[in-house]
Amino acid sequence: MTDETILTAYSPEFDFRDLPKVSLHDHLDGGLRPATIIDLAKEVGHELPANTPEELEEWFLESADSGSLERYLETFDHTIAVMQTKDALVRIAREFVEDLADDGVIYGEVRWAPEQHTKNGLTMSDAIEAVQQGLDEGVDAVLDAGGRIQVGQIITAMRHADNGVEVAKLALKYRDSGVCGFDIAGAEDGFPPSKHKEAFDLLAENFFPTTVHAGEAAGLDSIKDALLVGRALRLGHGVRIAEDITVEFGGTDDDGEDVDENTGLVSLGTVAEWVRDRGIALEVCPSSNLQTGAVEQFGEGIESHPIDLLYQTGFNVTISPDNRLMSGTTISDEFELLVEAFDYDLDDLLDLTLNAAEAAFLPLEEREALVEYINEAYEELDESFDDDDDDDDEEWDEDDFDEDFDEDDEDEDDEDDSESSEKESK
């Protein structure tokens, strides 16, 4: 662990929210404020499982923390129920942006399915325009407060439904009015991207970017379909690409040299090699992956999550929260989780953030400006650390620590010898 990691993980004055972030996988209907849900539920007469913001927040977290993607998705019944009017969508989208900015996000892509918000008479176009109005209001509020943020919409077709082509046409219609990408979401297993081939063909013909939920609840076949049929530039989650990776300890390397038994030799299958070598971004959501059981085959707990294997092997790993309400998380929380689990330092967090910036559905010039801003922000942070070190009255010296440690050992040995002598005399 580097000195930077120690400061990042344990220094009380460090706030992960100060780091500039890019959020690529963040669901609108998974990021509502509990208090807002309660307000809107009263307006439409929707019954909730809890009546206070604190209790409702806890209910969402407990319900989502089941290890089942299907159970996880059930929690959306309550959020979607209060997202059926223009005013509600505007408010939720505005607050969504404000909450992103509060977490240090400077560029975000919010994804949601317009077809799920037409129960009270809104058309899908009405819903898209309402969300865009809310996003614009949120951005204006952040800018007025002296902050910085840019947000785009990824509109989603539900995998089990038959609205893919219609949603794809809407994505093209609003491509210059806030919509930056297309996705399919919902139950992955049994509903492959090829079910929406016509929609993906239409988008490809019009050079419109797609990201596809794949490699979460289903494995390599789903990822293959996302790449071949969906022409996915990014994979939503994508963590089960690790099923196409083998790690063998010991043996000989490609040069015929013996390898220490504690050193792992990594081999990539055809799909994994394709994804890595072409820099197809993985939108990894660590906490969500643990909740839904997406990575349970690799072990329990964050330490067994394949994210570190993917990152160390050169995959284009990015970090997102997925559903901040259900997982009780933010990107800042996800960063802290990774620092504690894998000893990541600021350089690692910078790499993950730059990966996301470079994979954003933005024009090249805007991506370059985003990358430049992030690099400069991290450089300023490094300089502030250096200044803090210079201001310290006492500098920690590793040799001094070793001497103190040795003295403590000697004291303990003396105490043990004394106790032993006393026992012998008795």
Side-chain angles (χ1 to χ4, degrees):
M1 182 183 291
T2 67
D3 291 346
E4 286 184 343
T5 305
I6 293 172
L7 176 62
T8 304
Y10 303 112
S11 177
E13 66 270 15
F14 185 84
D15 191 338
F16 281 88
R17 292 178 300 176
D18 292 336
L19 298 174
K21 303 173 189 71
V22 174
S23 181
L24 299 182
H25 195 115
D26 207 341
H27 290 268
L28 182 65
D29 50 359
L32 282 71
R33 297 173 181 174
T36 297
I37 298 174
I38 292 174
D39 287 346
L40 297 176
K42 290 178 181 177
E43 293 178 7
V44 299
H46 177 75
E47 185 176 351
L48 294 171
N51 297 317
T52 69
E54 295 77 16
E55 292 174 347
L56 187 59
E57 183 176 14
E58 184 63 25
W59 179 87
F60 273 104
L61 185 58
E62 289 180 355
S63 298
D65 195 16
S66 63
S68 165
L69 179 60
E70 287 72 19
R71 173 82 183 279
Y72 187 95
L73 295 175
E74 287 176 9
T75 60
F76 291 90
D77 291 343
H78 294 290
T79 57
I80 292 173
V82 301
M83 300 174 68
Q84 299 299 325
T85 67
K86 175 183 176 180
D87 289 345
L89 289 173
V90 170
R91 174 180 175 178
I92 290 165
R94 180 180 65 250
E95 293 176 349
F96 194 95
V97 175
E98 293 170 348
D99 292 343
L100 287 181
D102 186 59
D103 190 43
V105 173
I106 59 172
Y107 176 77
E109 293 173 358
V110 52
R111 66 184 67 196
W112 65 293
E115 64 194 82
Q116 293 189 304
H117 304 274
T118 60
K119 295 178 182 178
N120 286 1
L122 290 178
T123 65
M124 285 197 278
S125 289
D126 292 337
I128 292 171
E129 291 171 9
V131 168
Q132 190 59 47
Q133 179 182 332
L135 296 179
D136 290 341
E137 290 180 5
V139 169
D140 288 342
V142 172
L143 297 179
D144 289 343
R148 171 183 176 135
I149 195 167
Q150 182 179 359
V151 182
Q153 292 190 55
I154 294 177
I155 58 174
T156 298
M158 299 307 295
R159 308 178 84 110
H160 63 277
D162 297 316
N163 300 310
V165 173
E166 185 177 0
V167 176
K169 289 179 178 178
L170 287 170
L172 296 174
K173 175 183 177 181
Y174 290 99
R175 72 185 306 170
D176 296 320
S177 302
V179 176
C180 63
F182 175 89
D183 181 25
I184 58 173
E188 179 183 357
D189 199 12
F191 299 96
S194 53
K195 184 178 185 296
H196 298 277
K197 182 179 184 302
E198 186 178 353
F200 284 119
D201 286 347
L202 175 63
L203 294 166
E205 290 167 2
N206 287 274
F207 299 97
F208 193 81
T210 62
T211 174
V212 179
H213 275 77
E216 181 189 20
L220 288 179
D221 286 342
S222 179
I223 293 174
K224 289 179 185 178
D225 212 29
L227 297 171
L228 297 175
V229 178
R231 285 86 152 184
L233 299 177
R234 304 190 323 229
L235 294 173
H237 300 287
V239 290
R240 289 181 62 176
I241 192 69
E243 295 175 6
D244 202 32
I245 301 174
T246 58
V247 182
E248 296 181 358
F249 291 88
T252 57
D253 60 20
D254 293 339
D255 297 324
E257 299 292 333
D258 290 335
V259 176
D260 183 86
E261 62 180 10
N262 294 319
T263 301
L265 294 175
V266 178
S267 299
L268 304 184
T270 304
V271 181
E273 189 173 53
W274 176 272
V275 170
R276 186 196 65 174
D277 292 353
R278 279 146 192 83
I280 295 170
L282 305 178
E283 302 163 355
V284 181
C285 308
S287 292
S288 173
N289 297 155
L290 294 176
Q291 285 184 310
T292 63
V295 293
E296 62 183 1
Q297 64 179 296
F298 303 106
E300 296 182 0
I302 186 62
E303 294 81 7
S304 298
H305 195 296
I307 183 173
D308 189 53
L309 170 65
L310 297 170
Y311 174 56
Q312 301 295 347
T313 311
F315 284 81
N316 191 8
V317 175
T318 71
I319 305 300
S320 290
D322 198 13
N323 298 288
R324 286 177 281 118
L325 172 63
M326 286 70 177
S327 295
T329 194
T330 62
I331 297 185
S332 292
D333 294 331
E334 299 298 287
F335 276 180
E336 186 168 5
L337 189 68
L338 297 177
V339 166
E340 293 175 352
F342 302 114
D343 290 348
Y344 286 175
D345 60 21
L346 285 179
D347 287 339
D348 295 312
L349 300 186
L350 174 59
D351 286 344
L352 295 168
T353 303
L354 292 178
N355 287 347
E358 291 165 353
F361 289 157
L362 284 172
L364 175 61
E365 295 80 2
E366 294 183 36
R367 293 202 309 273
E368 290 176 338
L370 189 61
V371 166
E372 181 179 3
Y373 179 87
I374 293 168
N375 275 319
E376 290 177 353
Y378 268 79
E379 288 175 5
E380 291 177 4
L381 192 59
D382 280 337
E383 291 174 0
S384 70
F385 287 159
D386 292 339
D387 291 341
D388 289 342
D389 289 340
D390 293 339
D391 292 338
D392 288 342
D393 293 330
E394 296 182 6
E395 293 187 1
W396 178 78
D397 187 282
E398 187 174 354
D399 293 335
D400 292 340
F401 177 81
D402 290 338
E403 290 175 4
D404 291 341
F405 186 78
D406 291 339
E407 289 175 2
D408 289 341
D409 283 347
E410 291 174 2
D411 291 341
E412 290 178 3
D413 290 341
D414 291 342
E415 291 177 4
D416 291 341
D417 291 341
S418 175
E419 291 177 2
S420 177
S421 298
E422 290 179 6
K423 290 179 181 178
E424 290 176 0
S425 64
K426 290 179 181 178

